[in-house]
Amino acid sequence: MNVARSSRERSDLRIALFGHPLGHSRSTELFAALATAGGPRIDYQPVDIAPQRFAAAIERLRAGEWDGANVTIPHKRRAAESADALDPIAATAGAANVLVRADDATLVGANTDGPGFVAGLNTLGDDNPLREDAPAASAVILGSGGAARGVAAALASRTGRVVLVSRNPDQAVSASRCRPVLGWNDRRLERTVREARLVVQATPLGMAPRVTEAPPLPPQWLGPHHVVVDLIYAPWETVFLAAARARGAVVLNGWPMLVEQAAFALELWAGAGTGPQLRDAVARLGVGND
Ligand code: NAP
């Protein structure tokens, strides 16, 4: 993606994080580590934006209050609708977690959640269900929000069947190009989950502070042949992920994805080469080693 920007230095960027709530986010730590390690200094500002104020936040971004934004729960779909152009994953997903403001005040929306998720799976080594020599893996994604759609869009060309699970499957189908979508009570769900290789938990259920919640998926449907990824990283291990681990599944939390999606986003705001700097800084300073 080519975004015209000349007036600001790469090391002098003001980036907003739009979300509601924001208490769970640890993105600020990543950019602090980048600066500590001698990388570009990003003025990264969490901005709690209630849904009814999202349009006003977009206008502030267009007006130049920030050079770009990260977008998190629950605004990713509206971020995609607000952008003047979208990268292919954001267009397929109908969800953007990154906005880049060009010098002419236009906004480009990108989805780094999907590529970040795929890159994060590399931490699983031989258990990575997407590794080149692995058989095509089918995937079930719990939820149909911004992150679920980004992951589905990124998985579409790399895996076998990708199925989403939603409380409103009919609406979810019409609102996205991701399909099929099953309801939580659909009688096909048990078989679909049992036969899948990859199960992705992409709802906020279990996220701090509501750490006792879990998606309504019986853990007995999971077993040692599954790779289960919960996109949540606060708490480090959700109730759902702990139950999957107890059933013998290979498990991964949302931290590797968080680092990877931020590295991809940084490259869009600050230019090529900055993503590896962020990954190195986080690894060197041990951020996330909870
Ligand atoms: P979102 O756009 O608000 O979507 C969340 C989806 O979860 C909703 O669309 C909904 O799907 C489902 N959901 C919400 N409440 C539910 C409930 N009570 N029961 C069943 N399903 C429910 O949020 P998001 O941006 O996709 O984020 C989802 C989660 O992923 C959050 O916890 C977020 O922190 C995490 N995340 C992590 C990373 C990372 O880098 N690790 C990146 C992105 C997101 P339906 O309406 O279809 O039922």
Side-chain angles (χ1 to χ4, degrees):
M1 193 183 343
N2 221 344
V3 181
R5 184 193 303 108
S6 56
S7 56
R8 295 186 68 79
E9 294 297 317
R10 285 166 25 144
S11 58
D12 184 26
L13 291 174
R14 293 162 307 183
I15 303 295
L17 168 62
F18 296 149
H20 184 73
L22 277 180
H24 67 281
S25 177
R26 294 186 63 184
S27 297
T28 310
E29 294 174 44
L30 305 180
F31 295 101
L34 178 69
T36 303
R41 302 189 77 81
I42 307 294
D43 183 1
Y44 193 81
Q45 304 174 6
V47 189
D48 194 316
I49 299 286
Q52 62 273 23
R53 297 188 59 81
F54 186 72
I58 289 293
E59 287 317 306
R60 289 166 64 188
L61 177 59
R62 280 190 196 282
E65 191 168 333
W66 303 283
D67 300 293
N70 252 160
V71 182
T72 186
I73 183 172
H75 300 311
K76 290 175 186 176
R77 283 180 257 181
R78 285 186 69 194
E81 291 162 10
S82 307
D84 301 296
L86 294 173
D87 78 355
I89 301 268
T92 302
N97 68 306
V98 176
L99 292 169
V100 185
R101 181 186 182 277
D103 280 349
D104 64 0
T106 54
L107 299 181
V108 177
N111 192 305
T112 66
D113 278 343
F117 173 83
V118 169
L121 290 179
N122 286 326
T123 58
L124 291 174
D126 287 349
D127 287 324
N128 182 350
L130 302 185
R131 68 174 205 280
E132 266 177 27
D133 56 341
S138 61
V140 176
I141 302 177
L142 310 180
S144 78
R149 292 172 187 211
V151 170
L155 284 178
S157 60
R158 296 167 194 267
T159 51
R161 194 164 178 248
V162 180
V163 175
L164 278 82
V165 183
S166 169
R167 292 166 298 179
N168 304 298
D170 296 339
Q171 269 179 26
V173 167
S174 61
S176 90
R177 293 195 224 159
C178 307
R179 43 190 92 193
V181 184
L182 298 182
W184 290 97
N185 294 323
D186 193 302
R187 57 187 176 73
R188 294 167 292 180
L189 184 59
E190 175 174 358
R191 187 168 172 198
T192 304
V193 169
R194 285 188 186 276
E195 291 180 351
R197 169 88 169 112
L198 178 61
V199 177
V200 183
Q201 201 303 98
T203 80
L205 293 165
M207 186 172 76
R210 301 169 71 164
V211 297
T212 56
E213 293 182 347
L217 191 86
Q220 57 271 27
W221 293 359
L222 301 172
H225 65 291
H226 284 111
V227 174
V228 178
V229 185
D230 197 321
L231 302 195
I232 293 171
Y233 53 83
W236 198 247
E237 184 172 79
T238 59
V239 167
F240 177 70
L241 207 57
R245 190 160 53 84
R247 296 281 308 163
V250 171
V251 298
L252 185 68
N253 76 0
W255 184 262
M257 173 180 173
L258 182 78
V259 176
E260 292 297 334
Q261 63 78 28
F264 290 133
L266 184 62
E267 299 229 327
L268 297 176
W269 297 317
T274 53
Q277 282 182 283
L278 183 119
R279 291 186 190 96
D280 286 353
V282 168
R284 209 148 26 97
L285 298 176
V287 183
N289 289 346
D290 302 37

